[in-house]
Amino acid sequence: MSVFKKTLLASSLMLVSSHTFAAAFQLAEQSVSGLGRAYAGEASVADDASVIARNPALMSQFDGAQLSVAAMYVEPDVSLRGTSTNNGVAPSKLDDSSIAPSAIVPAVYFMTPINESLSFGMGIYSQFGLATEFAADYAAGQLAGETEIVTVNTNLSVAYEVSKELTVALGINHVYADAKIVRTFGESPLPVPAATQAMHLEGDDTGYGWNLGLSYQIDDNSRFGLHYRSETDIVFDGEFSNQLPAGAPFNGTAGSAYPGSVELTLPAIAEFSGSHTISEGSSLHYSVLWTGWSSFKTLAAKVEGRGTVFSKDENFSNSMRYAIGADHQYSKDLKLRFGIAYDKSPADPYHMSISIPDTDRMWYSFGAEYQVSKSSSLDFGVSFLRGKTQLFVEKDNLGQAWGFESNGHATVLGLQFNSAF
């Protein structure tokens, strides 16, 4: 993957995710059963095989093999309004009503007991990703362009029931990441068309991490869960190119590609959850999720023989997410869910960017599970995400200052099939 591409790719990635999923470029969407509760209680609720993603220790709660297949459709509503410039360009040229395309986030899980104490599970899902698209001739092209990142996490986990109350689990994660990033010059003092590519990067890489889960059953009505996921280091090796004449300023390559690299650390995640039966057929769930974004301070790209061609201070801070939700067994075949959550942004207010227009956001979620047969069920879920309006100014490499007002909301719809064997 091209170095610069990765760098911008990571930045853009944050943009879409930040307004449509969870904090920065983190994704919350690993299951539809959780979606209906705004992901409250994810480390303590044993709904289906998707527990592999948020706490595999919960596999001990199932007597037989389980399969879950999910798909979540994300419809972002991320817009920008220009507020100021320092180069004579009309601020209205910065207006863009839709910078984030819609996306489908799939997931699949399978688990099975090995014996009375040991269970095994495998999950394929995503925890980080994003995509943003601007017109090739967008005025602030050096800050915008096209950015896409896709990550696929394959997790293998085992859970061991230490006692009737306590289960522990350990998992290994293989992360595949693919990225693409394109930037143009836009409106600038340089004698080049606005759509001229200032950089083009594309590539992929893999990394490894681990996760640990604990589940403790207080009594028949209460359970606590704790899950920790380690950092994962991704080193993107790829190619860097642009459309400037060779030897020109700004590392002109005349379209030729040069090898480069970008290092990116996917942050550690820890979640504590509780689930309690409060009346017959009704349960209350809550979660506190911590993400170690402080590991993400600077985004830099290096090109062989050219040194650092891109560097941007991000200065992220650790972030918190709080969720509370409930479910109610409305009838023999129908369970209803709802929940709310508050997602705190890790972004530094002094380092805001249209490639990472992150903001605090609220989740309002509803869902249902319908028992199709004795051994299979369908989950439906919808979440409405509402972010705060942000005002900030960002400068490009030519010293041009661009002022923005950003607004980010999203709607997430999900469908999941579960089967027991």
Side-chain angles (χ1 to χ4, degrees), residues 81 83 349 352 388-393 403-406:
R81 183 179 70 84
T83 59
M352 297 295 295
K388 297 194 304 185
T389 298
Q390 297 277 43
L391 292 169
F392 58 94
V393 175
F404 300 94
E405 177 186 274
S406 68

Side-chain angles (χ1 to χ4, degrees), residues 42-277:
E42 283 299 275
S44 57
V45 181
D47 280 324
D48 46 61
S50 66
V51 298
I52 294 167
R54 300 288 279 265
N55 189 0
L58 295 169
M59 291 191 294
S60 65
Q61 300 298 317
F62 299 87
D63 296 328
Q66 304 280 327
L67 172 70
S68 293
V69 180
M72 284 142 285
Y73 174 76
V74 183
E75 182 62 46
D77 180 13
V78 186
S79 63
L80 293 173
R81 183 179 70 84
T83 59
S84 64
T85 65
N86 68 349
N87 56 4
V89 175
S92 61
K93 287 192 174 183
L94 302 178
D95 295 353
D96 196 321
S97 61
S98 179
I99 65 174
S102 58
I104 294 177
V105 183
V108 59
Y109 308 93
F110 175 78
M111 65 183 186
T112 184
I114 303 301
N115 54 42
E116 291 184 356
S117 301
L118 192 66
S119 299
F120 169 79
M122 180 179 74
I124 302 175
Y125 51 95
S126 180
Q127 288 193 306
F128 300 92
L130 102 95
T132 55
E133 296 179 1
F134 289 81
D137 60 352
Y138 184 68
Q142 295 183 59
L143 309 177
E146 179 183 351
T147 304
E148 179 180 293
I149 187 172
V150 176
T151 67
V152 179
N153 184 90
T154 301
N155 174 271
L156 300 178
S157 295
V158 292
Y160 180 70
E161 191 172 5
V162 179
S163 66
K164 182 180 178 181
E165 295 80 19
L166 177 65
T167 299
V168 298
L170 178 66
I172 301 297
N173 297 279
H174 171 272
V175 180
Y176 170 80
D178 180 88
K180 176 184 179 181
I181 187 168
V182 178
R183 291 295 180 269
T184 61
F185 273 97
E187 300 283 347
S188 76
L190 299 180
V192 296
T196 301
Q197 287 188 4
M199 70 183 73
H200 184 118
L201 307 108
E202 193 165 352
D204 58 9
D205 192 37
T206 59
Y208 293 88
W210 55 273
N211 60 295
L212 176 68
L214 299 173
S215 172
Y216 192 79
Q217 192 78 34
I218 302 297
D219 54 36
D220 291 340
N221 297 318
S222 297
R223 182 189 306 125
F224 292 115
L226 179 65
H227 185 240
Y228 176 82
R229 176 189 171 95
S230 72
E231 292 182 351
T232 303
D233 293 325
I234 301 292
V235 179
F236 291 104
D237 293 320
E239 296 179 339
F240 164 80
S241 67
N242 59 37
Q243 294 178 336
L244 291 176
F250 309 103
N251 295 299
T253 73
S256 297
Y258 292 83
S261 63
V262 168
E263 295 184 6
L264 179 65
T265 297
L266 302 178
I269 303 169
E271 182 172 14
F272 171 77
S273 298
S275 295
H276 309 277
T277 300

Side-chain angles (χ1 to χ4, degrees), residues 395-417:
K395 291 185 178 181
D396 61 26
N397 291 334
L398 298 176
Q400 299 178 110
W402 311 89
F404 300 94
E405 177 186 274
S406 68
N407 288 280
H409 309 300
T411 301
V412 184
L413 300 170
L415 177 64
Q416 179 173 313
F417 172 76

Side-chain angles (χ1 to χ4, degrees), residues 337-353:
R337 302 184 176 104
F338 63 91
I340 59 174
Y342 172 69
D343 216 347
K344 178 68 176 177
S345 169
D348 185 338
Y350 300 103
H351 292 83
M352 297 295 295
S353 172

